[in-house]
Amino acid sequence: MKKRFLAVVLAVVVMLCSAVPALAAAPDLEKADYEGRGYVEVDFRTRVQYKNAEVQVMDAAGKPLAVRITEKDDDDMTFHVKGLKPGKAYTFTISGIRKGRSGSYGTVTGTFKTPKNELSVRKAVYDRRDKELNLEFYGRVQYKNPKVVIKDAAGKTYPCQIEELDRDEMELAVTSLPKGKYTIKISGIRLQGDQAYTSIVKTFWVR
């Protein structure tokens, strides 16, 4: 009798355990970058899957902002946020996401910060092999007789030539740049829709 009772109890325990869904570890965030014009790109360290994914963005006071997912892939996601203010930090939460291809769907939280001015360089990357400097801007820009000056920390000027202009980036051919810190000044540029053309300055490193 006791053996039959124990067998029944064990069977019930096995059934209960099998009914509990496997838990999945939360995805690991690699980075979250504000890309300008209200767009934020989130990169994950591993592959992820979505199910009815949603994003919530809140300011420092806890006020939620309107969000729309514009693109999602198995290792990144891009969403658009309305009402962002310059030079502020925001918290986002993505729900309906899991790491890998098994387990339950959960949430992941991160932060991003907007620049003080969208008329600024978001990223400057120098390709030593091709001797090219690629600049990405936060906002969409327009040009009028643009000029570029590049100087190192000692004030030495390095010749450069504009090879390509786009509404959100610029490509330059630059004489070989040794490792170190540089300053680039771009004149004849404005945010799309602004009236006046102006100059912007950005510091960057060649590693």
Side-chain angles (χ1 to χ4, degrees):
M1 194 71 178
K2 290 184 178 180
K3 291 183 178 179
R4 182 180 298 177
F5 176 76
L6 290 174
V8 172
V9 171
L10 288 173
V12 171
V13 170
V14 170
M15 290 177 62
L16 289 175
C17 291
S18 61
V20 177
L23 297 178
D28 298 320
L29 288 178
E30 182 174 350
K31 60 179 179 177
D33 290 331
Y34 178 70
E35 297 193 315
R37 308 180 305 281
Y39 289 92
V40 179
E41 181 179 293
V42 180
D43 293 322
F44 305 102
R45 295 187 184 277
T46 58
R47 303 292 183 182
V48 299
Q49 283 188 326
Y50 311 94
K51 184 177 182 181
N52 301 322
E54 295 183 354
V55 180
Q56 183 181 51
V57 175
M58 305 181 72
D59 63 16
K63 177 184 176 182
L65 282 72
V67 187
R68 174 174 58 90
I69 297 174
T70 58
E71 185 179 354
K72 57 181 185 287
D73 203 347
D74 61 1
D75 60 358
D76 60 49
M77 171 187 284
T78 301
F79 52 86
H80 183 267
V81 189
K82 290 185 177 180
L84 295 174
K85 296 182 179 180
K88 300 295 182 181
Y90 296 87
T91 301
F92 65 88
T93 300
I94 303 173
S95 59
I97 187 172
R98 70 181 179 186
K99 179 180 179 180
R101 297 181 175 275
S102 63
S104 60
Y105 291 86
T107 62
V108 61
T109 300
T111 60
F112 66 90
K113 187 175 181 180
T114 56
K116 293 182 179 180
N117 189 344
E118 291 219 353
L119 183 57
S120 55
V121 177
R122 184 174 72 87
K123 184 188 298 185
V125 178
Y126 180 64
D127 188 323
R128 188 184 301 276
R129 184 182 62 181
D130 296 333
K131 297 181 181 180
E132 291 180 344
L133 179 64
N134 182 260
L135 306 175
E136 296 181 11
F137 304 105
Y138 281 105
R140 292 178 178 173
V141 300
Q142 295 173 312
Y143 311 93
K144 184 178 181 180
N145 302 320
K147 295 181 180 180
V148 179
V149 177
I150 299 176
K151 294 183 179 182
D152 63 16
K156 178 182 176 181
T157 300
Y158 289 78
C160 64
Q161 181 178 345
I162 298 174
E163 287 194 329
E164 186 176 342
L165 295 175
D166 202 351
R167 62 184 181 179
D168 59 0
E169 63 182 339
M170 173 186 290
E171 190 174 284
L172 306 167
V174 188
T175 304
S176 183
L177 297 177
K179 294 181 180 180
K181 183 179 180 181
Y182 295 84
T183 299
I184 183 168
K185 181 179 180 180
I186 306 169
S187 58
I189 188 171
R190 71 180 182 184
L191 276 178
Q192 182 175 308
D194 285 358
Q195 293 187 357
Y197 288 89
T198 184
S199 300
I200 59 175
V201 177
K202 168 73 174 181
T203 58
F204 67 96
W205 286 84
V206 174
R207 306 292 184 180

